[in-house]
Amino acid sequence: TTFGEVSMRTQPDLRKQARQLENELDLKLVSFSKLCTSYSSSRDGRRGDSSSDTTPLLSNSTQDRMFETMSVEIEQLLAKLTGVNDKMAEYTSTPGVTSLNAALMHTLQRHRDILQDYTHEFHKTKSNFMAIREREDLLGSVRKDIETYKSGSGVNNRRTELFLKEHEHLRNSDRLIDDTISIAMATKENMTSQRGLLKSIQSRVNTLANRFPAINNLIQRINLRKRRDSLILGGVIGICTILLLLYAFH
């Protein structure tokens, strides 16, 4: 049994393991993103409830622990997927394996791209979460200082109330902007994913066209006929437009 035959038997196992890790990472990243998105709103809701002083602290601590735990789990999955990709790279770089099946290189590159996307998404979501937590801690500290000053001095004048209302308005506006940015980023990522899928389909079509000249000739004829139909349709529309203008001015 040669090394190439062994690698061909182990390569499907590595691909299966890589897909399993990618599925786990996808689910973890979705849950991680939901945790980060709900963090700000949940803290706002608890901060607005002044009936209990202990519940917000426990809830915040729980969310912070969930964040740390999920971060460690995702980092471990990313490390495992990196190791699997490295093993696949060792097989594909072995003399004889690459020439035996060039599709292995394409499969490896695809798994590497997925790993890079997941790593980028994880670091971006983690950074957003840290920024939200720091901002919320800062706003909470400011609010606490205001309430301490208000209760300590015994002053309950109109100016303090207006300042608190303006502070709430600014905080709500900031949260609305963050939600809008999140929606825009999600839309951009979805469009990027769709563009990659269309490029992949176009690449396959071009590969088939280059491999089978008859298909390539058929595609060229279809394109020529589409151009001809477009010219004819444009000419008809132009003539109709001119006739309508002549009719309108007479």
Side-chain angles (χ1 to χ4, degrees):
T1 303
T2 63
F3 183 79
E5 293 173 349
V6 174
S7 65
M8 288 301 294
R9 288 202 301 267
T10 56
Q11 191 72 7
D13 296 334
L14 291 174
R15 289 201 301 266
K16 181 179 179 181
Q17 186 178 0
R19 286 193 295 268
Q20 290 176 349
L21 291 172
E22 288 167 359
N23 292 333
E24 291 181 23
L25 273 169
D26 186 69
L27 294 176
K28 288 288 185 182
L29 288 172
V30 170
S31 300
F32 192 63
S33 179
K34 289 181 180 179
L35 174 65
C36 297
T37 302
S38 62
Y39 185 80
S40 177
S41 59
S42 62
R43 290 196 61 167
D44 289 342
R46 290 193 298 270
R47 191 181 296 118
D49 185 6
S50 59
S51 60
S52 175
D53 293 332
T54 58
T55 301
L57 294 175
L58 292 175
S59 298
N60 291 343
S61 178
T62 300
Q63 282 195 323
D64 291 339
R65 286 198 301 269
M66 289 177 61
F67 169 77
E68 298 297 336
T69 301
M70 294 183 69
S71 296
V72 172
E73 292 175 352
I74 292 174
E75 287 174 352
Q76 291 175 349
L77 289 173
L78 289 173
K80 290 180 180 179
L81 184 57
T82 301
V84 173
N85 286 346
D86 291 341
K87 291 181 180 179
M88 293 174 63
E90 291 177 3
Y91 286 128
T92 55
S93 61
T94 302
V97 174
T98 304
S99 60
L100 183 63
N101 189 358
L104 295 179
M105 298 299 296
H106 176 74
T107 301
L108 174 61
Q109 185 61 41
R110 176 59 180 165
H111 286 295
R112 284 176 172 172
D113 292 340
I114 293 174
L115 174 61
Q116 184 179 2
D117 293 340
Y118 283 162
T119 303
H120 175 71
E121 181 178 354
F122 168 66
H123 289 304
K124 183 183 68 175
T125 305
K126 185 176 181 180
S127 298
N128 291 339
F129 182 92
M130 298 296 293
I132 291 174
R133 185 165 63 180
E134 291 176 359
R135 185 195 62 197
E136 291 299 317
D137 290 341
L138 178 60
L139 292 176
S141 177
V142 172
R143 183 181 180 87
K144 183 178 179 181
D145 292 339
I146 294 173
E147 291 176 352
T148 301
Y149 173 79
K150 180 179 176 181
S151 60
S153 61
V155 178
N156 190 14
N157 51 32
R158 180 67 176 170
R159 181 178 298 175
T160 303
E161 292 179 358
L162 290 176
F163 177 77
L164 290 174
K165 289 181 179 179
E166 184 66 19
H167 174 70
E168 291 290 336
H169 176 71
L170 292 174
R171 189 156 51 86
N172 292 334
S173 299
D174 185 58
R175 186 169 62 252
L176 181 60
I177 293 173
D178 287 341
D179 293 340
T180 304
I181 293 175
S182 298
I183 293 173
M185 293 297 295
T187 303
K188 178 184 177 183
E189 291 177 358
N190 189 18
M191 293 180 66
T192 302
S193 177
Q194 292 180 1
R195 183 178 63 182
L197 180 60
L198 291 176
K199 285 184 177 179
S200 177
I201 294 174
Q202 184 180 3
S203 177
R204 293 180 182 178
V205 171
N206 291 335
T207 301
L208 289 175
N210 293 330
R211 185 175 299 177
F212 302 101
I215 296 178
N216 191 17
N217 293 333
L218 179 59
I219 292 175
Q220 290 180 357
R221 280 191 224 154
I222 292 174
N223 291 332
L224 289 175
R225 182 167 294 179
K226 286 173 62 178
R227 283 202 209 100
R228 186 189 64 186
D229 293 342
S230 299
L231 292 175
I232 293 174
L233 181 60
V236 172
I237 293 174
I239 292 173
C240 292
T241 303
I242 293 173
L243 291 177
L244 288 174
L245 291 175
L246 292 176
Y247 179 78
F249 285 108
H250 281 288

